[in-house]
Amino acid sequence: MFCYQCEQTAKGEGCTKIGVCGKPHDVATLQDLLIYSLKGLALVAQEARKQGITDREINVFTVEALFSTLTNVNFDPQRFLPFINRAVALRENLKKKIGKQNFLEGPATIKPEATLEGLIKQGESVGLKSDPTINPDILALQHTLLFGIKGISAYADHALLLGKEDESIYAFIHEGLVATLNKTLTLDDWVKLVLKCGEVNLKTMELLDAANTGAYGHPVPTKIPLGTKKGKAILVSGHDLKDLEEILKQSEGKGIYVYSHGEMLPCHGYPGLKKYPHFYGHYGTAWQNQTKEFADFPGAILMTTNCIQRPKESYQGNIFTTGLVGFPGVTHIDNYDFTPVIKKALEMPGFPEDANGRSVMCGFGHNTVLGIAGTVIDAVKSKAIRHFFLVGGCDGAKPGRSYYKEFVEKVPQDCVVLTLACGKFRFFDKDLGAIGGIPRLLDIGQCNDAYSAIQIAVALANAFKVSVNDLPLSLIVSWYEQKAVAILLTLLYLGIKDIRLGPSLPAFITPNVLEVLVKTFNIKPISTPDEDLKAILG
């Protein structure tokens, strides 16, 4: 195997025996074969579009299949077999519809082997670095595009589950997959493609924002208990709001309290979700701490999207997966029937007594912040607020990620910190106080709520009649997986400069590509909190 799609890849170079995430060789190679099969499907789908033929089943399947290959989503090799076979079946059926069979030998003609061992061998021949003839800089941009497309697919899937989709997003995903097979594209072509990926991800995040707020209303500032209530309990982790809603509906009136975990924390701010009185509080911190935190949770646990780790034996019988998440030996839930989860919660002891912990605030999305834009603008003009810092992104297990906690703790009292995604769990429970009634720590939401941050920045730039780059705003970004890659490409597409990225730079970026990013966007690695604050604030 060879995989370097996440920030924690082995030695900062690539995982070759087993993934740092726990992904074994068979799963890694089956994912490689699935991606290769999807490129063949995309070739035929692109040809069909030229003939005015679009196939929604293929569009939806492509997004789901790509999402299943994200870091910490699906560790079950048996779940990839039907994906690979279906990609080929859909491809062959579409060929019949368009009347074209003579595709060049390769991904559009590959036939899956009949056995798992045969499929793994096929996967070993089509991995990320299976073609040594590709220029390393072009390969770096190809993989940047591929990983960005994976991130787009995750967001597109979330939106789709709430009834929102866009044909142009599907078309670009297929276009990008096909481009990775084109050996005539130049470096300039590839730079344009990765920036277009950022543009399409912006559209996708906008679509998801409309899906979430259309279904559940705009988030409002909400206090979330970090303690627990006496009684039976269900913990919901991941990102998917629809799954949480279904759990809340199905567990209502059964004496069960539902808790959020990880990136589900912002769900407490949505009126359509916070209306459930048994949606009580938040338990635990970021995804990488789950093995310790889940072992202590006395109820059922549901993983809705990515972020699952190998469950410990002590709680493996209590954890469930749904959607595209999978792990060998873990019960999987289909079609939103969470009866097994509720049954398990009722069987387990639950919390023996109330535990009054601290609380945190969420719900500061673009609708809320722009609703007090006048107050914010006045505070900036009066110099009550000197600077804004967006400190957020993915969390991870590396020791260097303590940088983000220390950075926030050292931000001066006349500055405001915006945060989003699971990176906030390094400091989300810090009491930073307020400036003129404006909290100094504003939780914007999940990783996809980078869309909210962008809307806030654009509105402030318009109010001050300057560009976003001229605002007293600095982006301190932590990345881990492919959704973060898509968001970074969106920021670059928007021309946002001076982003500080960490804790390390992507292993798939070559020195030459990094030089282009530095020259064009002044993107730079984080150093130390003191040095970076001094460089930003003077």
Side-chain angles (χ1 to χ4, degrees), residues 26 31-32 46 70 75 120 130 136 144 158 206 209 220-221 259 275 286 308 324 331 388 436 439 450 475 508 538:
D26 57 353
Q31 288 183 357
D32 287 340
Q46 191 173 69
L70 260 73
F75 292 84
I120 291 171
S130 58
T144 302
H158 294 328
E206 180 181 19
D209 179 78
V220 296
Y259 298 81
K275 69 181 181 182
I308 193 170
L324 296 166
T331 302
F388 295 91
L475 276 63
F508 50 85

Side-chain angles (χ1 to χ4, degrees), residues 406-428:
E406 185 182 346
F407 186 96
V408 168
E409 290 174 341
K410 291 184 173 182
V411 165
Q413 293 293 312
D414 58 355
C415 300
V416 171
V417 176
L418 310 173
T419 190
L420 51 80
C422 63
K424 64 172 160 268
F425 289 111
R426 296 278 171 169
F427 50 80
F428 79 125

Side-chain angles (χ1 to χ4, degrees), residues 38 82 113 115 187 209 220 263 274 319 355 429 463 474 505 534:
L38 290 173
E113 293 290 336
T115 65
L187 277 171
D209 179 78
V220 296
E263 289 237 53
K274 65 182 293 181
I319 191 169
D429 55 352
S474 298
L505 296 176
K534 182 178 180 181

Side-chain angles (χ1 to χ4, degrees), residues 291-304:
T291 52
K292 180 181 184 301
E293 294 170 350
F294 288 2
D296 296 332
F297 188 76
I301 302 163
L302 178 68
M303 304 301 291
T304 67

Side-chain angles (χ1 to χ4, degrees), residues 469-525:
N469 289 318
D470 292 324
L471 285 173
L473 168 68
S474 298
L475 276 63
I476 317 296
V477 178
S478 57
W479 82 282
Y480 175 70
E481 42 88 313
Q482 297 77 65
K483 287 179 288 182
V485 174
I487 291 170
L488 179 61
L489 295 182
T490 293
L491 296 175
L492 299 183
Y493 157 72
L494 292 170
I496 295 176
K497 297 184 178 181
D498 301 315
I499 299 169
R500 283 174 164 79
L501 182 66
S504 63
L505 296 176
F508 50 85
I509 296 295
T510 60
N512 288 336
V513 172
L514 178 61
E515 184 180 0
V516 171
L517 294 177
V518 171
K519 285 184 176 180
T520 309
F521 302 102
N522 201 27
I523 195 168
K524 60 195 74 175

Side-chain angles (χ1 to χ4, degrees), residues 180-209:
T180 63
L181 302 168
N182 187 343
K183 293 191 175 183
T184 68
L185 298 178
T186 65
L187 277 171
D188 285 344
D189 293 328
W190 279 106
V191 169
K192 290 175 182 176
L193 271 168
V194 296
L195 292 179
K196 185 176 179 181
C197 184
E199 178 184 12
V200 174
N201 184 59
L202 178 61
K203 179 185 290 188
T204 311
M205 290 194 298
E206 180 181 19
L207 190 74
L208 179 53
D209 179 78

Side-chain angles (χ1 to χ4, degrees), residues 284-493:
T285 52
W287 66 272
Q288 75 274 6
N289 302 320
Q290 68 187 252
T291 52
K292 180 181 184 301
E293 294 170 350
F294 288 2
D296 296 332
F297 188 76
I301 302 163
L302 178 68
M303 304 301 291
T304 67
T305 53
N306 55 323
C307 300
I308 193 170
Q309 292 179 294
R310 177 184 294 278
K312 286 187 175 180
E313 186 177 347
S314 61
Y315 65 84
Q316 184 162 338
N318 311 331
I319 191 169
F320 300 81
T321 59
T322 192
L324 296 166
V325 188
F327 206 98
V330 172
T331 302
H332 188 75
I333 304 293
D334 286 317
N335 302 319
Y336 297 108
D337 181 3
F338 295 117
T339 303
V341 182
I342 294 167
K343 181 174 182 292
K344 176 59 69 173
L346 293 172
E347 291 171 355
M348 295 188 67
F351 290 102
E353 59 186 5
D354 290 357
N356 294 318
R358 294 167 294 170
S359 63
V360 295
M361 293 291 294
C362 76
F364 296 98
H366 60 92
N367 193 64
T368 295
V369 175
L370 295 183
I372 58 167
T375 303
V376 174
I377 291 166
D378 288 343
V380 175
K381 288 182 176 178
S382 68
K383 298 186 179 179
I385 295 178
R386 176 169 41 147
H387 205 85
F388 295 91
F389 292 94
L390 175 62
V391 185
C394 309
D395 204 359
K398 275 189 178 178
R401 289 179 180 270
S402 58
Y403 163 96
Y404 297 93
K405 174 177 177 288
E406 185 182 346
F407 186 96
V408 168
E409 290 174 341
K410 291 184 173 182
V411 165
Q413 293 293 312
D414 58 355
C415 300
V416 171
V417 176
L418 310 173
T419 190
L420 51 80
C422 63
K424 64 172 160 268
F425 289 111
R426 296 278 171 169
F427 50 80
F428 79 125
D429 55 352
K430 299 289 181 185
D431 183 4
L432 300 186
I435 299 175
I438 302 167
R440 287 190 57 237
L441 180 60
L442 298 174
D443 185 348
I444 297 174
Q446 295 182 339
C447 56
N448 52 280
D449 290 311
Y451 175 77
S452 269
I454 290 167
Q455 295 308 303
I456 292 167
V458 170
L460 289 174
N462 290 336
F464 287 108
K465 298 181 180 178
V466 297
S467 73
V468 170
N469 289 318
D470 292 324
L471 285 173
L473 168 68
S474 298
L475 276 63
I476 317 296
V477 178
S478 57
W479 82 282
Y480 175 70
E481 42 88 313
Q482 297 77 65
K483 287 179 288 182
V485 174
I487 291 170
L488 179 61
L489 295 182
T490 293
L491 296 175
L492 299 183
Y493 157 72

